[in-house]
Amino acid sequence: MTGPPRRGRRPGAPDTRAAILAAARARFAEHGFASTSVRSIAADAGVDPALVHHYFGTKDDLFVAALELPVDPRERLAGVIAEGPDGAGERMLRVFLSVWDDPDLRLPLLGLARSVLDPSGQRLLRDGFVPAVLHPVGVALGIDRPEVRMPLVASQVIGLILTRYLLEVEPIASMPADDVVAVYGPTIQRYLTGPLPSA
Amino acid sequence: MTGPPRRGRRPGAPDTRAAILAAARARFAEHGFASTSVRSIAADAGVDPALVHHYFGTKDDLFVAALELPVDPRERLAGVIAEGPDGAGERMLRVFLSVWDDPDLRLPLLGLARSVLDPSGQRLLRDGFVPAVLHPVGVALGIDRPEVRMPLVASQVIGLILTRYLLEVEPIASMPADDVVAVYGPTIQRYLTGPLPSA
């Protein structure tokens, strides 16, 4: 996990990068995404805020870097977003499966999934992943009420992660990717573009 | 948690009941539901198998007792089953919410939900809850391919538990019960009676 492209610049002292990431993880886990400023992370790490932006880009980018995901979900979902909301449910699932069905990527992701059991991991997901990753995808897709629809999508995707990869409940654990898409695609699509209870 | 009605008999020595439950929990967690016999549990607890049946009923009943759930999901779902598969998705969700939205019941259930993070808890859910509770509900409902459909239902219900009660992701965490039913009812119903990929 290296953050966004560094546009040919030197990567900087590994210690500084590591100190910034550690400070970011601690801040995001304790205070949540919205209440954490890049300035406060820089102060904790003993560096100038400009250096944080230089190494990691925006606060969203820094958050994704702090999660140490094996892939950047925003990059993977760029194609889904570009084609708009029609059929986005199926396309989102195919991206999801291309990552999670890869054993090299699944292992570190399962580690993150397990962190939902401790309170700081819960805060990282709820107050970080939702506003920094999930919500922007919904906004970029151009759907109405992304603040409702994207959490609904998450509720089915989380359940799929648990049954297919963590609990390994059959027949979901061994289901061919095409069948997973056939079963769950319409659910995700309905959450993205179907009727919602009035606000 | 006291197991099935004891039909006026004395509850038996608390130590014996506790020893049987402890032996059952250890066996089910280590060997799974299918590979565990009432005889082996009785042997571990140092009692006659007949006594296990006398106190706890069938192996399914013993398993549910060993989970120490604050309610027996089979009793709660009896009404859903009796009315058949039409509209069962919505009715199932209403039962689910009547239990999980009750703070007194939610707390012990969340404890169980957290156990998905350790391997023995995973085995209890996958190799115990699925065959002893989930599958019989599908069979009793009279749906086709319950061995596929009930795990699909579980995958959405587990995701709802995590987002609404454990992670408390908004707006799902504060969503009125009627809205939860409106959003998730069609999903559960489609998993129960909708099209499936061919076997």
Side-chain angles (χ1 to χ4, degrees):
Chain A
M1 186 65 228
T2 54
R6 272 178 242 100
R7 303 180 200 83
R9 287 166 181 163
R10 284 184 306 135
D15 286 358
T16 306
R17 287 181 55 85
I20 294 169
L21 279 180
R25 267 192 296 275
R27 278 268 162 193
F28 286 134
E30 192 174 347
H31 302 288
F33 182 77
S35 306
T36 294
S37 65
V38 168
R39 179 171 297 273
S40 66
I41 291 169
D44 289 355
V47 302
D48 192 89
L51 199 68
V52 177
H53 288 298
H54 171 72
Y55 285 160
F56 293 102
T58 66
K59 189 170 95 168
D60 282 18
D61 295 330
L62 177 57
F63 176 79
V64 173
L67 284 183
E68 294 191 301
L69 301 173
V71 294
D72 187 330
R74 301 167 309 171
E75 276 172 29
R76 296 285 177 131
L77 289 167
V80 174
I81 291 166
E83 292 181 56
D86 281 0
E90 286 204 5
R91 296 200 310 279
M92 219 177 256
L93 273 169
R94 293 212 181 271
V95 168
F96 168 83
L97 290 167
S98 74
V99 173
W100 278 86
D101 281 354
D102 180 337
D104 291 341
L105 300 177
R106 186 190 314 160
L107 227 65
L109 287 171
L110 271 179
L112 188 76
R114 286 198 177 86
S115 75
V116 302
L117 284 229
D118 70 277
S120 70
Q122 287 169 25
R123 229 165 299 148
L124 271 182
L125 278 172
R126 181 189 55 214
D127 302 333
F129 195 81
V130 171
V133 179
L134 206 60
H135 188 69
V137 168
V139 171
L141 260 178
I143 54 177
D144 67 314
R145 297 173 73 192
E147 73 287 355
V148 178
R149 296 182 180 281
M150 296 310 288
L152 296 181
V153 169
S155 77
Q156 177 59 88
V157 171
I158 289 173
L160 179 57
I161 289 172
L162 255 86
T163 46
R164 183 170 171 91
Y165 304 108
L166 190 69
L167 295 172
E168 299 181 89
V169 174
E170 294 297 356
I172 299 174
S174 309
M175 197 177 270
D178 284 348
D179 289 358
V180 173
V181 172
V183 164
Y184 290 104
T187 300
I188 305 295
Q189 190 64 43
R190 194 168 63 79
Y191 295 162
L192 288 173
T193 58
L196 286 181
S198 46
Chain B
M1 186 66 226
T2 54
R6 272 178 241 100
R7 304 179 200 83
R9 286 165 182 166
R10 283 183 307 135
D15 286 359
T16 305
R17 287 181 55 86
I20 294 169
L21 280 181
R25 267 192 296 275
R27 278 268 163 193
F28 286 133
E30 192 174 347
H31 302 287
F33 181 76
S35 306
T36 294
S37 64
V38 169
R39 179 171 298 276
S40 67
I41 290 168
D44 288 356
V47 302
D48 192 90
L51 199 67
V52 177
H53 288 299
H54 171 71
Y55 285 159
F56 292 103
T58 66
K59 189 169 95 167
D60 282 17
D61 295 331
L62 177 58
F63 176 79
V64 173
L67 284 183
E68 294 191 300
L69 301 173
V71 295
D72 187 331
R74 303 168 307 170
E75 276 172 29
R76 296 285 178 132
L77 288 168
V80 173
I81 291 166
E83 292 182 55
D86 280 0
E90 286 205 6
R91 296 200 308 278
M92 219 177 255
L93 273 169
R94 293 213 180 270
V95 168
F96 168 83
L97 291 168
S98 73
V99 173
W100 278 85
D101 281 355
D102 180 338
D104 291 340
L105 300 176
R106 186 190 315 160
L107 227 66
L109 288 171
L110 271 179
L112 188 76
R114 287 198 177 85
S115 76
V116 302
L117 285 227
D118 70 277
S120 70
Q122 287 169 24
R123 230 165 299 148
L124 271 182
L125 277 172
R126 181 189 55 214
D127 303 333
F129 195 81
V130 170
V133 179
L134 206 61
H135 188 70
V137 168
V139 172
L141 260 178
I143 55 178
D144 68 312
R145 299 175 71 193
E147 74 287 355
V148 179
R149 295 181 180 281
M150 295 310 289
L152 297 180
V153 170
S155 77
Q156 177 59 89
V157 171
I158 288 172
L160 179 56
I161 290 171
L162 255 86
T163 45
R164 184 170 170 91
Y165 304 109
L166 191 69
L167 295 173
E168 299 181 88
V169 174
E170 294 296 357
I172 299 174
S174 309
M175 197 177 269
D178 284 348
D179 289 358
V180 173
V181 172
V183 164
Y184 291 103
T187 300
I188 304 295
Q189 188 65 43
R190 194 168 63 79
Y191 295 161
L192 288 173
T193 57
L196 286 181
S198 46

